[in-house]
Amino acid sequence: MKILALCIGNPERLAGKSYKTGIFKHAVNGAVMIDAEGLVGDAICNRKHHGGVDQAVYLEGSVCLDWWARELGHPINLGTFGENLVIEGLDNRQVAVGDRFMTGELVLEVTSCRIPCATFAARMNDPKFVKRYTQAGRPGIYCRVIANGIVEAGLPVAYAPFSGARVTMPEMMETFGRQLSVEDRQRYLSAPIHYKLRSMLAAQS
């Protein structure tokens, strides 16, 4: 695998909305610094729901983006889904919490999947896109930064699967907001999941 694109965005206003969003991202040339808060220079407008140490970098795999291009019937510009990194050869469906991606000095650890929202639907100009994205079962991937690094498109990416019980991105999206069984809750809590989800699941016990 390798980095196909690094994408950043500026605050922009969605048509018909009163707020600005950083979801409009575009691929950039050259090297980008990635630290604990994500890509330096990238806009994060709503920090209540976006960004933060356990949601610092948003990944999309090229396998799923290619699938979406076929599904939508047109090419998808890199950054359209609001992703920060596109990894060539990666299928989101195979990724689980705790998996790590390494390129240069940068080390990313998967914490959670993307849960689609109204802003994403507005970005795609499709009010039904939240349902469509959920039903597709190919959610994007949020990561925390274990080690900072300066990266650029074309660099090779190494992959290290989590050694514990696997909680895949499709499973996490399917179960989001639901009451889990004792066994599943323990499995989720044994993985390095996003701290907000950890709090939600701990409250279920």
Side-chain angles (χ1 to χ4, degrees), residues 161-201:
F162 181 56
S163 60
R166 293 186 71 73
V167 178
T168 66
M169 297 298 96
E171 180 189 9
M172 179 173 277
M173 185 167 68
E174 183 179 358
T175 60
F176 183 79
R178 298 182 183 180
Q179 184 78 25
L180 298 179
S181 67
V182 173
E183 293 78 10
D184 283 343
R185 185 166 65 248
Q186 290 175 342
R187 177 165 55 89
Y188 274 55
L189 291 174
S190 71
I193 57 175
H194 192 297
Y195 72 91
K196 290 183 180 179
L197 179 58
R198 181 171 297 278
S199 297
M200 290 171 57
L201 293 178

Side-chain angles (χ1 to χ4, degrees), residues 64-198:
C64 288
L65 291 180
D66 289 345
W67 182 89
W68 274 110
R70 295 190 297 271
E71 176 73 9
L72 296 173
H74 59 77
I76 298 177
N77 292 328
L78 298 174
T80 294
F81 280 13
E83 69 270 20
N84 296 123
L85 260 67
V86 180
I87 298 181
E88 188 174 68
L90 178 68
D91 185 339
N92 301 3
R93 296 173 298 175
Q94 306 304 317
V95 176
V97 174
D99 291 355
R100 291 189 174 190
F101 297 95
M102 294 81 68
T103 180
E105 295 182 349
L106 179 70
V107 179
L108 302 177
E109 182 177 72
V110 176
T111 63
S112 58
C113 71
R114 183 199 201 135
I115 302 300
C117 62
T119 297
F120 187 26
R123 168 70 179 95
M124 299 305 293
N125 196 30
D126 180 357
K128 297 181 179 180
F129 198 74
V130 168
K131 181 178 181 180
R132 190 173 184 180
Y133 187 86
T134 301
Q135 291 178 335
R138 291 168 165 80
I141 304 156
Y142 282 114
C143 299
R144 63 171 62 93
V145 178
I146 301 298
N148 300 352
I150 299 175
V151 298
E152 59 185 329
L155 286 179
V157 176
Y159 167 72
F162 181 56
S163 60
R166 293 186 71 73
V167 178
T168 66
M169 297 298 96
E171 180 189 9
M172 179 173 277
M173 185 167 68
E174 183 179 358
T175 60
F176 183 79
R178 298 182 183 180
Q179 184 78 25
L180 298 179
S181 67
V182 173
E183 293 78 10
D184 283 343
R185 185 166 65 248
Q186 290 175 342
R187 177 165 55 89
Y188 274 55
L189 291 174
S190 71
I193 57 175
H194 192 297
Y195 72 91
K196 290 183 180 179
L197 179 58
R198 181 171 297 278

